[in-house]
Amino acid sequence: MGAIEVAAEPADAADGDATPGAPAPAHVPGRPEGRRRRAGRTAARVVAVVVVALLLVGGWLAFRAWQAVSALQDARALVAGVEVDTAAVGDGTVDLDRLRASTSAAAAATSDPVWRAAEVVPWAGDQLEAVRVVSTSLDTVVAGALPAVSDLRALLDGGLRGPDGRVDVAALRALADQVRTASAGAADAHADVAALDADALVGPLAGPVRDVQDVLARLDAGLGPAGRVAGVLPAMLGADGPRTYLVLALNTAELRAAGGIVGTVVAVRVEDGAVSVVDRRTTADLPPLAEPVVPLTDEELGTWGDRLGRWVQNAVLTPDFPRTAELVAARWARDVGGTVDGVVATDPLAVGGLVGATGPVPDPDGGVLTGAGLVTTLLRDAYVRHPDSAGSDAYFGAVAAAVVEAVDSGAGSTQALFAAGRTAVDERRLRVWSAHPEEQERLAATVAGGAFTSPTFAHQPGLFLDDATQGKLGAYLSTDLTFRDARCTDPAPRVTAVLGLDFRPPEGVASWGHLVTGVPGPQVPLGTLLTTVSVWSAQDGPPLVVARDGAPATGSVTTVEGRTVQQVGSRLAPGGTQEVAVDLPLRDGAVTLWTTPTLTSPGVAVFRCG
C-alpha cells in the first residue's frame, strides 16, 4: 500500500490566509501582514476596553454627581436662610439633622478618588472641583459651626443671665472653645468657597455657588467676632477676679469723630458676672488741664492741638477708640485713682436700644424714660430743664447710671439685650477697650474695638464730623451718607461717597443760651452750626479728592498713622443743607467707609459693585 501523506495545514489557514491543501504562499518568513492584522485586533480590543472603562467612569461620575447635586440642592434650600443672629437654628425652623445628612452625603460623593482624579480634566475638572469644594465646605460648617450657633442661641435664650442679672460666666466659658473652633471652621470654609470663580462655571452651577458664597460670608462675618472674643469674655466679666470699667456716655448733640463729646464717665464694677455702679463723674469734675494728661505725638498735635489730651470731652476727637480709652483711663487714674481694666463708650441711640430691651428706667426729673423718648429727652429737653452745663451733665450721668442698674437688676431678656448690643456694635455706637494686652489684641481685630488706625482696617477710609460751635446744635442736624457715580470697570475703580448735611433747629434758636448755641465766633450769627469734616485716606493711600457743594474743598492737611487727613469746614444757617463728596478707591470692587455715628446715620457705610 502506498503511504498516505497528510499535508500540514498552513499556520494561517484558520485565519483564511490560504485554502486547505493549497500550496503555501511563496513568501513565508516574518508574515508581516498577519502581525499587522493581529495588532489591529489587539488595538481594537484595547480601545473597546478603554471605551467601556470611560463609560463606567463617566457613569460613576454621573451617579456621584447626581448624588452630590441632589444632596446640595436639599442643603441649599435648608441653609439659605441661616443667619448667626436671626436663624432659629435648632428650634425647628432649620432641621439640623436633615441638613447634616445632606451635606455629609454631598461631601462623601465628591471625596471619591475617581472624582478627585477627574478634576484634572480641562474645564470639566473645574466644575467638579467647585462641587467638591462647596460640598466639603458646607459639611464643615454644618458639622461644627451651626451646632455652636445653636448652643449659643440656647444660652442667650435664657441660660446666660439669672433673675438677678448676673451673667453665668462658667457656662460662657464652657461654650467659648466650641465657638472659637466653629469660628475657625467657618472662616476656612468661607475662604475656600470664596476662592471659586463662579463666572467660570456652567450656568446651573454658578448660581448655587454664589448663593453658598453669600451664606458662608454671612456666617463668617457673624461668627468671626464671637470667635475672637469668646475666650476672653469670661475674664472680662469678672470670672477670674473683679474688674473696673469706665463707661463713657457720649453726647451726640455735640459731635466728635467717634460720636459725641464725653458727657459723663460712669465707673462700674464687674465681679463673677454681676455689674454694679461704683462712681460717676461729670466733665465738671474733670476740668481742663494745663498740659495733656499723657504726651501727645507730633501727628496728634499737628491735627488737633493739645486739646485732645487736656479736655476729657475731646478725647474722642480721634476716630481711634483705643487712643481715646488710653487718654480717659489716664485722666481717671490721675484725678480719681484706682485701677481701670477697660473703657466702654456708647451714645444715646445705643442707650435707647438698651432701654427698649430693659423696659422704662427712672427719669431723674421724675417719671420714667422709655427707649423711644430717651434721645429727645437727653439731647433736647434736658437743656431746657437744665440750662447750665453742670446740671445737664449731672442729668445725663444719672440716666446712664440708671440704665446700667437696670441691666444689673435682671431687667429685660438676654436675647433682647444681646440684639440691642449687636445693633449698637454694627452701627459703631458701642466700643470696647481692655487694659489687658491679650484681650485688647482680640478686641482690636473687631469693629467693637473701634481701632480705626490699626492694621486690621488699614484699607478702610474715614469721613468724620467734629462740632466747631461748642454748643449742642448737633441735636438738630440730620446726616445721610450715600454712594453715586460708581466706576467699577475703570482701570482705577472708584466710587463717590456723598455726605448730606441738613440743619433744622426750631425757630428762635438764636435766643437760646450759649450752652446750646455755643459761641460761633465773630461775624457768625448765633444759631449757626459750624462743623469740621475730616477726610481720612486709607493707610499709605493717596489723599482723597474732596468737593463741597460741587466745588473743590480745601483745608488743613496732616498725616496720622500713615493716613492723609484733610479737614474742611462746613457752615450751616438754620434750614441750610450741604453736600460733601469724596472720591474713594475701590478694593476688590468694594469699600467700607468709617464715619461718625449721628442721630440719623450709623458710623459705617459699605459699597460693593454689582
Side-chain angles (χ1 to χ4, degrees):
M1 292 179 60
I4 300 176
E5 296 182 5
V6 180
E9 183 179 356
D12 291 333
D15 293 332
D17 291 338
T19 302
H27 181 70
V28 174
R31 303 280 178 106
E33 295 88 347
R35 284 199 301 273
R36 282 197 296 271
R37 277 188 278 271
R38 284 198 303 275
R41 285 193 296 276
T42 301
R45 292 188 186 104
V46 171
V47 169
V49 170
V50 171
V51 169
V52 171
L54 287 175
L55 288 174
L56 289 174
V57 170
W60 180 250
L61 283 174
F63 171 67
R64 282 302 208 182
W66 174 81
Q67 283 185 315
V69 171
S70 296
L72 280 179
Q73 286 176 339
D74 190 34
R76 178 190 178 196
L78 289 169
V79 82
V82 170
E83 298 281 358
V84 171
D85 297 326
T86 60
V89 178
D91 70 353
T93 301
V94 174
D95 188 338
L96 197 56
D97 290 338
R98 179 183 165 194
L99 184 57
R100 179 73 180 93
S102 297
T103 58
S104 179
T110 57
S111 63
D112 190 287
V114 176
W115 186 292
R116 295 300 300 269
E119 289 184 10
V120 302
V121 178
W123 185 82
D126 295 337
Q127 319 302 312
L128 295 174
E129 180 188 15
V131 174
R132 175 181 58 79
V133 170
V134 168
S135 301
T136 55
S137 297
L138 272 180
D139 191 48
T140 296
V141 167
V142 171
L146 295 191
V149 173
S150 181
D151 291 346
L152 180 60
R153 288 183 60 86
L155 192 62
L156 292 175
D157 283 340
L160 185 60
R161 291 169 74 229
D164 61 352
R166 183 186 299 270
V167 175
D168 187 343
V169 290
L172 191 61
R173 176 166 278 165
L175 187 62
D177 287 341
Q178 185 183 358
V179 172
R180 282 202 304 271
T181 301
S183 173
D188 290 343
H190 174 216
D192 290 343
V193 174
L196 297 174
D197 183 4
D199 293 336
L201 304 177
V202 293
L205 185 57
V209 166
R210 291 191 183 96
D211 289 345
V212 173
Q213 287 174 331
D214 290 343
V215 168
L216 294 185
R218 292 197 302 271
L219 286 173
D220 184 24
L223 274 176
R228 283 187 282 271
V229 302
V232 301
L233 273 180
M236 292 185 69
L237 291 171
D240 301 328
R243 295 283 188 94
T244 299
Y245 296 99
L246 304 180
V247 179
L248 311 184
L250 304 184
N251 189 338
T252 315
E254 188 172 348
L255 289 174
R256 291 293 182 267
I261 63 168
V262 176
T264 301
V265 183
V266 179
V268 300
R269 179 185 175 90
V270 183
E271 185 171 9
D272 195 27
V275 181
S276 59
V277 176
V278 295
D279 202 347
R280 183 173 78 240
R281 301 298 171 99
T282 69
T283 53
D285 301 318
L286 303 168
L289 301 176
E291 298 290 336
V293 66
V294 297
L296 301 180
T297 68
D298 290 342
E299 291 182 338
E300 290 171 335
L301 289 169
T303 302
W304 301 292
D306 63 4
R307 59 196 178 120
L308 177 68
R310 291 178 56 209
W311 278 268
V312 69
Q313 298 97 314
N314 285 330
V316 279
L317 278 168
T318 170
D320 190 68
F321 185 67
R323 184 55 165 166
T324 294
E326 291 168 357
L327 291 168
V328 176
R331 183 62 190 275
W332 187 272
R334 176 190 182 277
D335 289 9
V336 182
T339 300
V340 175
D341 293 293
V343 179
V344 179
T346 188
D347 74 358
L349 268 75
V351 173
L354 289 177
V355 172
T358 64
V361 298
D363 186 335
D365 287 342
V368 295
L369 294 172
T370 65
L374 184 138
V375 172
T376 297
T377 300
L378 282 181
L379 302 186
R380 298 180 181 180
D381 299 344
Y383 296 110
V384 175
R385 301 178 192 167
H386 306 282
D388 62 296
S389 60
S392 58
D393 284 351
Y395 179 83
F396 208 82
V399 172
V403 174
V404 174
E405 289 166 353
V407 174
D408 176 50
S409 70
S413 72
T414 303
Q415 191 67 24
L417 288 169
F418 177 80
R422 180 60 189 268
T423 298
V425 169
D426 288 345
E427 294 188 355
R428 310 299 199 264
R429 302 184 188 279
L430 178 64
R431 307 188 184 199
V432 184
W433 171 82
S434 174
H436 301 261
E438 180 186 354
E439 296 171 0
Q440 176 54 24
E441 182 180 0
R442 297 194 187 189
L443 287 170
T446 71
V447 295
F452 174 65
T453 63
S454 72
T456 302
F457 307 107
H459 299 295
Q460 299 179 3
L463 180 59
F464 303 106
L465 303 174
D466 290 294
D467 180 272
T469 316
Q470 299 180 28
K472 301 298 183 288
L473 294 176
Y476 305 97
L477 175 69
S478 296
T479 63
D480 180 47
L481 213 160
T482 57
F483 295 96
R484 69 185 182 203
D485 300 333
R487 286 84 81 192
C488 294
T489 58
D490 282 4
R494 310 182 74 77
V495 68
T496 300
V498 181
L499 173 66
L501 304 172
D502 189 347
F503 177 48
R504 299 192 179 275
E507 290 191 17
V509 64
S511 64
W512 296 357
H514 287 173
L515 177 63
V516 176
T517 64
V519 184
Q523 300 181 344
V524 178
L526 283 174
T528 302
L529 178 64
L530 303 178
T531 307
T532 300
V533 181
S534 299
V535 181
W536 292 58
S537 72
Q539 195 173 76
D540 300 324
L544 301 177
V545 178
V546 185
R548 183 177 49 215
D549 287 337
T554 58
S556 67
V557 179
T558 59
T559 301
V560 178
E561 298 290 343
R563 297 172 181 262
T564 300
V565 182
Q566 302 173 75
Q567 298 186 62
V568 300
S570 168
R571 175 174 171 172
L572 292 172
T577 62
Q578 198 166 71
E579 278 191 353
V580 177
V582 184
D583 274 358
L584 303 175
L586 296 175
R587 182 180 175 85
D588 298 326
V591 64
T592 297
L593 178 65
W594 290 51
T595 187
T596 298
T598 69
L599 294 180
T600 57
S601 299
V604 64
V606 179
F607 174 82
R608 292 186 179 88
C609 290

